[in-house]
Amino acid sequence: MRDSREQDKFVIRLPDGLRPEIAAVAYRNQRSMNGEIINRLERSLALELALDEKRKIINQLLNRIAELETKANE
């Protein structure tokens, strides 16, 4: 892992009240606020990828069902 001084930095403006919420959750999870935000971003991106894959599978299954229904009605 790179030294924190060499890592990409990004300034973010938080809506009122969000900073203390993040701080409280980070404390409960024994992380820094930065660590909590990074963890949540990584989880969010991973979940989005998984959801996209599931949607593809569902669409394939729906298409296959439609094909089978068409064949059954011939």
Side-chain angles (χ1 to χ4, degrees):
M1 182 179 229
R2 296 185 294 173
D3 183 290
S4 66
R5 288 171 280 164
E6 297 172 1
Q7 293 177 340
D8 290 335
K9 291 176 178 48
F10 183 79
V11 176
I12 185 169
R13 289 183 295 275
L14 299 172
D16 289 342
L18 188 55
R19 184 184 178 94
E21 281 186 56
I22 294 170
V25 172
Y27 179 80
R28 283 195 305 271
N29 291 330
Q30 299 178 344
R31 293 187 186 105
S32 65
M33 284 182 60
N34 187 74
E36 187 66 34
I37 291 167
I38 296 299
N39 179 271
R40 286 171 178 264
L41 287 171
E42 288 173 341
R43 282 182 22 215
S44 173
L45 293 170
L47 288 171
E48 190 173 321
L49 284 175
L51 184 57
D52 286 346
E53 285 300 313
K54 289 179 182 183
R55 284 186 181 131
K56 286 179 190 174
I57 292 168
I58 288 169
N59 286 331
Q60 290 171 347
L61 291 170
L62 290 172
N63 289 335
R64 184 63 178 140
I65 289 169
E67 289 172 10
L68 292 171
E69 286 176 339
T70 300
K71 285 184 182 181
N73 292 329
E74 290 177 350

